[in-house]
Amino acid sequence: MLTFVGLGLYDERSITIEGRDAVRDADRVFAEFYTSKLLGATVEDLEAYHEVDVEVRDRAGVEQDPEEILRAAEDGDAVFLTAGDTMISTTHVDLRLRAEERGIDTGVVHAPTAESAASGLTGLQNYRFGRATTLPFDYAHGADGVPASVTDAIDENRERGLHTLIYLDIKAEHDEYMTADHAADLLADEYGDLLGVAVARAGSPDPLVAADRLTALADREFGDPLHLLVVPGELHHIEADALRELAGAPEELLDVA
């Protein structure tokens, strides 16, 4: 059996009870932290909390050479841990399909996601979000400014009155995380004073949510990672109230559809 378990958003306690039980019952526990990581916990914290040894795999050890994981699942019960929800990344789906092709039973234990947390913290209704996108570091996409993949998503969603969730690039192996102010500065070059919402440390004891013009967000600091940015579309009056009360949005930016 190979069970994919999401660790949640922040530390070793963010896991669900079902996920915790799966980890403690496993014969071997694997993890990857190159797609994302828990900013409030180390691998040692996870091992102490669950009383297990965690075998961390790099990208090559999951995507190119997963044999060790698959053999462990053939011989016993193996768990594969990831930050957030375990099936958000395509690489995890690929590993699950490889296991199924070898006749290995698989299971999934879900956990909170950055997307659901962003909706809950901002008060923006989850069914009013359109296609999400990721804003990469300049050096990661080989050009200056905002790539078309991001502007196309924002523009298409806004045409439909929908909100856009923008994941900010992380290079977890290098401990490098794009900040919301840097992202807002990049987007301000394209969209000027458009309303944006910064979300910092979703799932932690001290999350921060701030709504303002992109140009204003670019001049603020939001503290420790991880950060997200949301560009709202048309606002329901409850959403406008939430951005005003929960995120400090200026009244003049809250046009209600």
Side-chain angles (χ1 to χ4, degrees):
M1 179 81 178
L2 178 58
T3 304
F4 294 81
V5 176
L7 288 167
L9 296 175
Y10 183 65
D11 64 15
E12 70 275 16
R13 299 170 301 161
S14 300
I15 195 170
T16 65
I17 293 174
E18 182 183 5
R20 183 192 65 189
D21 291 346
V23 173
R24 293 180 179 179
D25 290 342
D27 297 307
R28 292 178 70 180
V29 178
F30 299 89
E32 70 82 1
F33 296 111
Y34 59 84
T35 57
S36 187
K37 66 185 295 186
L38 298 177
L39 270 296
T42 64
V43 173
E44 291 75 21
D45 293 330
L46 290 171
E47 291 179 324
Y49 183 73
H50 294 291
E51 300 178 341
V52 298
D53 292 326
V54 177
E55 303 174 50
V56 179
R57 307 287 287 181
D58 60 14
R59 186 182 294 273
V62 176
E63 298 178 0
Q64 299 171 29
D65 184 23
E67 187 61 28
E68 185 77 12
I69 302 170
L70 296 173
R71 279 204 307 267
E74 286 177 326
D75 295 339
D77 288 331
V79 158
F80 187 76
L81 301 174
T82 59
D85 185 73
T86 186
M87 282 296 142
I88 293 299
S89 176
T90 303
T91 185
H92 308 150
V93 179
D94 178 70
L95 180 59
R96 187 183 184 193
L97 292 176
R98 294 190 192 205
E100 290 285 343
E101 288 170 0
R102 287 173 59 154
I104 299 168
D105 290 334
T106 64
V108 178
V109 181
H110 295 286
T113 66
E115 184 173 9
S116 63
S119 174
L121 288 169
T122 61
L124 297 173
Q125 296 165 5
N126 67 331
Y127 63 87
R128 293 169 63 89
F129 278 80
R131 177 165 63 94
T133 187
T134 298
L135 179 59
F137 289 111
D138 286 351
Y139 69 80
H141 68 92
D144 294 329
V146 181
S149 59
V150 177
T151 56
D152 287 349
I154 294 172
D155 294 344
E156 291 167 9
N157 287 338
R158 293 188 72 221
E159 286 177 8
R160 300 168 60 197
L162 301 176
H163 315 313
T164 306
L165 175 65
I166 304 170
Y167 295 103
L168 306 186
D169 202 359
I170 70 169
K171 303 299 180 188
E173 63 273 25
H174 302 302
D175 227 24
E176 187 176 9
Y177 308 94
M178 184 181 290
T179 60
D181 53 292
H182 179 70
D185 187 48
L186 291 174
L187 290 174
D189 289 340
E190 300 283 341
Y191 296 103
D193 285 336
L194 192 67
L195 175 64
V197 188
V199 179
R201 296 176 300 284
S204 77
D206 63 339
L208 184 151
V209 183
D212 209 330
R213 294 172 176 84
L214 289 170
T215 50
L217 295 177
D219 289 332
R220 295 182 58 173
E221 293 185 2
F222 299 99
D224 293 337
L226 297 169
H227 296 179
L228 298 166
L229 197 65
V230 179
V231 174
E234 295 178 356
L235 296 174
H236 182 275
H237 69 90
I238 296 295
E239 293 179 308
D241 290 346
L243 290 181
R244 182 190 305 108
E245 298 300 324
L246 302 177
E251 187 68 39
E252 65 269 19
L253 298 182
L254 299 177
D255 292 332
V256 176

